[in-house]
Amino acid sequence: MDLGEGRFARASVELKMLPDTRRIRAYLRWSDGGKSPARYLGQVENMTRAANLAEGWKMAWAKGLLTEEPPVEGSWASSPSVRAVMRGNRSKDTRPELRLRSLLHKQGLRYRVAARPLPGLRRTADLIFSRPKVAVFVDGCFWHGCPEHLRQSRKNADFWRSKIEGNQTRDAETDRLLREAGWTVVRVWEHEDPDAAAARVISAVRGSSTTRHEAGQAGSSVARQS
């Protein structure tokens, strides 16, 4: 919300239930100079907390209490919504990645984090399993163009389309180069079910390990026969 004189503050909607009437009131609260003022928005009567919070936000917008934060100087983002998406897509230690790592670790798998599968190639995988040669990439829906969840920006549409298509081209090239070098590539979308994603990675790791072990045994047998 706009505090005036070029100052902005992030606001939140707070719900309070009156003990006598059991009615629920919504308030807008923000931080300003160490204080936490609040503004009464109105009464809400929905069945769930989420619905009441959503109604509170609508009231705040309707009363003109909120405003979009101006773009940061030098930022590529053309709007606060795009900037929020960009901030949410960190390149390392994202929530989906941490969840996947936890599940794999519980299954006894050990891996390297944020490492290059091929030393001479400037491409970093989120997880690599060196012995079975499996590289795992956890792709953010925005930056990698998820077909299910990508929401095209209305502003600077050509720029963002080109940016995301460039990332997709780079992903495809990375997959090709790694496979040519004998690696198995597993790509996981950030929206995927963590257990299902972990199962795919485990299958790839253990399958690759089994295949390499059998290939090694076959090679030893041929050597002995010759």
Side-chain angles (χ1 to χ4, degrees):
M1 61 185 301
D2 190 348
L3 301 180
E5 299 180 352
R7 297 185 304 123
F8 293 85
R10 296 188 180 278
S12 61
V13 171
E14 182 180 78
L15 301 177
K16 291 184 178 181
M17 179 181 289
L18 300 179
D20 297 332
T21 62
R22 307 293 290 179
R23 292 179 178 177
I24 302 174
R25 290 183 173 182
Y27 294 83
L28 187 69
R29 188 174 293 277
W30 63 96
S31 178
D32 183 12
K35 299 179 180 180
S36 184
R39 173 78 176 270
Y40 175 64
L41 298 174
Q43 185 173 306
V44 290
E45 300 177 342
N46 297 288
M47 296 297 294
T48 66
R49 174 179 173 80
N52 285 329
L53 288 172
E55 186 174 348
W57 283 114
K58 290 180 180 179
M59 290 177 176
W61 280 107
K63 292 177 180 291
L65 299 176
L66 301 177
T67 183
E68 288 192 344
E69 182 181 356
V72 178
E73 184 178 357
S75 173
W76 288 357
S78 57
S79 69
S81 59
V82 171
R83 189 163 64 255
V85 172
M86 291 173 64
R87 283 199 301 259
N89 282 272
R90 297 186 299 175
S91 61
K92 181 181 177 183
D93 293 338
T94 62
R95 184 175 298 179
E97 182 183 336
L98 292 173
R99 177 60 176 159
L100 178 62
R101 279 155 50 179
S102 175
L103 291 171
L104 295 175
H105 194 275
K106 288 179 181 178
Q107 291 298 317
L109 273 63
R110 300 297 179 261
Y111 42 78
R112 292 172 61 196
V113 176
R116 295 180 183 177
L118 302 178
L121 183 65
R122 292 176 59 86
R123 306 292 167 87
T124 300
D126 294 303
L127 303 174
I128 66 170
F129 299 83
S130 300
R131 182 168 297 179
K133 298 184 73 172
V134 174
V136 181
F137 297 84
V138 182
D139 294 336
C141 289
F142 178 79
W143 286 112
H144 296 265
C146 169
E148 294 183 34
H149 299 100
L150 174 64
R151 293 176 295 176
Q152 294 288 352
S153 173
R154 295 181 180 179
K155 296 182 180 179
N156 296 333
D158 291 339
F159 169 82
W160 287 112
R161 186 181 303 108
S162 176
K163 184 75 174 176
I164 293 170
E165 288 177 354
N167 289 341
Q168 292 174 326
T169 299
R170 181 181 173 87
D171 291 343
E173 182 187 42
T174 299
D175 294 353
R176 177 181 61 81
L177 292 173
L178 288 178
R179 285 167 180 154
E180 288 176 355
W183 284 75
T184 297
V185 178
V186 179
R187 287 196 175 270
V188 176
W189 286 112
E190 66 172 339
H191 70 261
E192 281 192 55
D193 175 73
D195 292 307
R200 288 205 294 123
V201 174
I202 292 169
S203 176
V205 170
R206 292 178 176 167
S208 295
S209 298
T210 300
T211 300
R212 295 182 189 283
H213 177 68
E214 292 175 348
Q217 287 186 324
S220 298
S221 177
V222 171
R224 284 195 297 270
Q225 290 177 4
S226 61

PDB file of all heavy atoms in Angstrom, residues 97-110:
ATOM      1  N   GLU A  97      12.879 -28.549  -4.816  1.00  0.00           N
ATOM      2  CA  GLU A  97      14.168 -29.239  -4.840  1.00  0.00           C
ATOM      3  C   GLU A  97      14.504 -29.794  -3.455  1.00  0.00           C
ATOM      4  O   GLU A  97      14.961 -30.944  -3.326  1.00  0.00           O
ATOM      5  CB  GLU A  97      15.265 -28.280  -5.298  1.00  0.00           C
ATOM      6  CG  GLU A  97      16.637 -28.935  -5.404  1.00  0.00           C
ATOM      7  CD  GLU A  97      17.717 -27.946  -5.785  1.00  0.00           C
ATOM      8  OE1 GLU A  97      17.378 -26.913  -6.386  1.00  0.00           O
ATOM      9  OE2 GLU A  97      18.896 -28.209  -5.470  1.00  0.00           O
ATOM     10  N   LEU A  98      14.286 -29.007  -2.422  1.00  0.00           N
ATOM     11  CA  LEU A  98      14.587 -29.467  -1.065  1.00  0.00           C
ATOM     12  C   LEU A  98      13.713 -30.662  -0.682  1.00  0.00           C
ATOM     13  O   LEU A  98      14.175 -31.602  -0.030  1.00  0.00           O
ATOM     14  CB  LEU A  98      14.380 -28.327  -0.069  1.00  0.00           C
ATOM     15  CG  LEU A  98      15.363 -27.156  -0.173  1.00  0.00           C
ATOM     16  CD1 LEU A  98      14.941 -26.028   0.758  1.00  0.00           C
ATOM     17  CD2 LEU A  98      16.777 -27.610   0.154  1.00  0.00           C
ATOM     18  N   ARG A  99      12.457 -30.622  -1.085  1.00  0.00           N
ATOM     19  CA  ARG A  99      11.547 -31.731  -0.795  1.00  0.00           C
ATOM     20  C   ARG A  99      11.998 -32.996  -1.513  1.00  0.00           C
ATOM     21  O   ARG A  99      12.019 -34.083  -0.916  1.00  0.00           O
ATOM     22  CB  ARG A  99      10.126 -31.346  -1.233  1.00  0.00           C
ATOM     23  CG  ARG A  99       9.085 -32.445  -1.055  1.00  0.00           C
ATOM     24  CD  ARG A  99       8.949 -32.879   0.370  1.00  0.00           C
ATOM     25  NE  ARG A  99       7.880 -33.859   0.543  1.00  0.00           N
ATOM     26  CZ  ARG A  99       7.791 -34.702   1.561  1.00  0.00           C
ATOM     27  NH1 ARG A  99       8.706 -34.672   2.526  1.00  0.00           N
ATOM     28  NH2 ARG A  99       6.783 -35.545   1.646  1.00  0.00           N
ATOM     29  N   LEU A 100      12.395 -32.849  -2.770  1.00  0.00           N
ATOM     30  CA  LEU A 100      12.864 -34.005  -3.536  1.00  0.00           C
ATOM     31  C   LEU A 100      14.134 -34.581  -2.930  1.00  0.00           C
ATOM     32  O   LEU A 100      14.262 -35.805  -2.774  1.00  0.00           O
ATOM     33  CB  LEU A 100      13.111 -33.585  -4.983  1.00  0.00           C
ATOM     34  CG  LEU A 100      13.649 -34.670  -5.924  1.00  0.00           C
ATOM     35  CD1 LEU A 100      12.658 -35.822  -6.043  1.00  0.00           C
ATOM     36  CD2 LEU A 100      13.946 -34.078  -7.298  1.00  0.00           C
ATOM     37  N   ARG A 101      15.053 -33.720  -2.560  1.00  0.00           N
ATOM     38  CA  ARG A 101      16.295 -34.187  -1.951  1.00  0.00           C
ATOM     39  C   ARG A 101      16.022 -34.949  -0.660  1.00  0.00           C
ATOM     40  O   ARG A 101      16.657 -35.989  -0.373  1.00  0.00           O
ATOM     41  CB  ARG A 101      17.212 -32.992  -1.689  1.00  0.00           C
ATOM     42  CG  ARG A 101      17.968 -32.555  -2.928  1.00  0.00           C
ATOM     43  CD  ARG A 101      18.407 -31.116  -2.923  1.00  0.00           C
ATOM     44  NE  ARG A 101      19.098 -30.682  -1.715  1.00  0.00           N
ATOM     45  CZ  ARG A 101      19.566 -29.444  -1.552  1.00  0.00           C
ATOM     46  NH1 ARG A 101      19.416 -28.539  -2.526  1.00  0.00           N
ATOM     47  NH2 ARG A 101      20.173 -29.097  -0.447  1.00  0.00           N
ATOM     48  N   SER A 102      15.079 -34.447   0.131  1.00  0.00           N
ATOM     49  CA  SER A 102      14.744 -35.116   1.388  1.00  0.00           C
ATOM     50  C   SER A 102      14.206 -36.522   1.148  1.00  0.00           C
ATOM     51  O   SER A 102      14.606 -37.485   1.828  1.00  0.00           O
ATOM     52  CB  SER A 102      13.715 -34.280   2.157  1.00  0.00           C
ATOM     53  OG  SER A 102      13.289 -34.945   3.329  1.00  0.00           O
ATOM     54  N   LEU A 103      13.314 -36.655   0.179  1.00  0.00           N
ATOM     55  CA  LEU A 103      12.729 -37.963  -0.119  1.00  0.00           C
ATOM     56  C   LEU A 103      13.781 -38.938  -0.637  1.00  0.00           C
ATOM     57  O   LEU A 103      13.789 -40.117  -0.267  1.00  0.00           O
ATOM     58  CB  LEU A 103      11.609 -37.809  -1.146  1.00  0.00           C
ATOM     59  CG  LEU A 103      10.346 -37.084  -0.661  1.00  0.00           C
ATOM     60  CD1 LEU A 103       9.403 -36.814  -1.830  1.00  0.00           C
ATOM     61  CD2 LEU A 103       9.633 -37.888   0.416  1.00  0.00           C
ATOM     62  N   LEU A 104      14.672 -38.456  -1.482  1.00  0.00           N
ATOM     63  CA  LEU A 104      15.714 -39.327  -2.031  1.00  0.00           C
ATOM     64  C   LEU A 104      16.699 -39.754  -0.942  1.00  0.00           C
ATOM     65  O   LEU A 104      17.145 -40.902  -0.902  1.00  0.00           O
ATOM     66  CB  LEU A 104      16.456 -38.607  -3.156  1.00  0.00           C
ATOM     67  CG  LEU A 104      15.623 -38.272  -4.400  1.00  0.00           C
ATOM     68  CD1 LEU A 104      16.445 -37.457  -5.389  1.00  0.00           C
ATOM     69  CD2 LEU A 104      15.112 -39.547  -5.061  1.00  0.00           C
ATOM     70  N   HIS A 105      17.021 -38.832  -0.051  1.00  0.00           N
ATOM     71  CA  HIS A 105      17.954 -39.141   1.037  1.00  0.00           C
ATOM     72  C   HIS A 105      17.361 -40.201   1.959  1.00  0.00           C
ATOM     73  O   HIS A 105      18.068 -41.095   2.442  1.00  0.00           O
ATOM     74  CB  HIS A 105      18.275 -37.868   1.822  1.00  0.00           C
ATOM     75  CG  HIS A 105      19.460 -37.996   2.722  1.00  0.00           C
ATOM     76  ND1 HIS A 105      19.380 -38.513   4.005  1.00  0.00           N
ATOM     77  CD2 HIS A 105      20.775 -37.693   2.519  1.00  0.00           C
ATOM     78  CE1 HIS A 105      20.575 -38.514   4.555  1.00  0.00           C
ATOM     79  NE2 HIS A 105      21.442 -38.023   3.689  1.00  0.00           N
ATOM     80  N   LYS A 106      16.060 -40.123   2.200  1.00  0.00           N
ATOM     81  CA  LYS A 106      15.401 -41.115   3.057  1.00  0.00           C
ATOM     82  C   LYS A 106      15.435 -42.507   2.440  1.00  0.00           C
ATOM     83  O   LYS A 106      15.361 -43.509   3.149  1.00  0.00           O
ATOM     84  CB  LYS A 106      13.957 -40.699   3.320  1.00  0.00           C
ATOM     85  CG  LYS A 106      13.812 -39.503   4.256  1.00  0.00           C
ATOM     86  CD  LYS A 106      12.358 -39.116   4.465  1.00  0.00           C
ATOM     87  CE  LYS A 106      12.236 -37.917   5.386  1.00  0.00           C
ATOM     88  NZ  LYS A 106      10.804 -37.500   5.560  1.00  0.00           N
ATOM     89  N   GLN A 107      15.538 -42.557   1.120  1.00  0.00           N
ATOM     90  CA  GLN A 107      15.612 -43.838   0.420  1.00  0.00           C
ATOM     91  C   GLN A 107      17.047 -44.358   0.303  1.00  0.00           C
ATOM     92  O   GLN A 107      17.301 -45.351  -0.359  1.00  0.00           O
ATOM     93  CB  GLN A 107      14.996 -43.706  -0.972  1.00  0.00           C
ATOM     94  CG  GLN A 107      13.494 -43.497  -0.976  1.00  0.00           C
ATOM     95  CD  GLN A 107      12.745 -44.662  -0.357  1.00  0.00           C
ATOM     96  OE1 GLN A 107      13.059 -45.828  -0.605  1.00  0.00           O
ATOM     97  NE2 GLN A 107      11.763 -44.351   0.480  1.00  0.00           N
ATOM     98  N   GLY A 108      17.962 -43.664   0.947  1.00  0.00           N
ATOM     99  CA  GLY A 108      19.346 -44.117   0.965  1.00  0.00           C
ATOM    100  C   GLY A 108      20.188 -43.656  -0.200  1.00  0.00           C
ATOM    101  O   GLY A 108      21.336 -44.077  -0.346  1.00  0.00           O
ATOM    102  N   LEU A 109      19.654 -42.772  -1.051  1.00  0.00           N
ATOM    103  CA  LEU A 109      20.410 -42.287  -2.192  1.00  0.00           C
ATOM    104  C   LEU A 109      21.279 -41.105  -1.780  1.00  0.00           C
ATOM    105  O   LEU A 109      20.847 -40.251  -1.012  1.00  0.00           O
ATOM    106  CB  LEU A 109      19.478 -41.870  -3.331  1.00  0.00           C
ATOM    107  CG  LEU A 109      19.062 -42.975  -4.317  1.00  0.00           C
ATOM    108  CD1 LEU A 109      18.254 -44.058  -3.610  1.00  0.00           C
ATOM    109  CD2 LEU A 109      18.268 -42.396  -5.472  1.00  0.00           C
ATOM    110  N   ARG A 110      22.471 -41.072  -2.324  1.00  0.00           N
ATOM    111  CA  ARG A 110      23.386 -39.974  -2.055  1.00  0.00           C
ATOM    112  C   ARG A 110      23.745 -39.300  -3.378  1.00  0.00           C
ATOM    113  O   ARG A 110      23.878 -39.977  -4.400  1.00  0.00           O
ATOM    114  CB  ARG A 110      24.650 -40.479  -1.340  1.00  0.00           C
ATOM    115  CG  ARG A 110      24.340 -41.142   0.006  1.00  0.00           C
ATOM    116  CD  ARG A 110      23.718 -40.141   0.969  1.00  0.00           C
ATOM    117  NE  ARG A 110      23.390 -40.736   2.252  1.00  0.00           N
ATOM    118  CZ  ARG A 110      22.171 -41.154   2.604  1.00  0.00           C
ATOM    119  NH1 ARG A 110      21.164 -41.041   1.742  1.00  0.00           N
ATOM    120  NH2 ARG A 110      21.949 -41.687   3.784  1.00  0.00           N
TER     121      ARG A 110
END
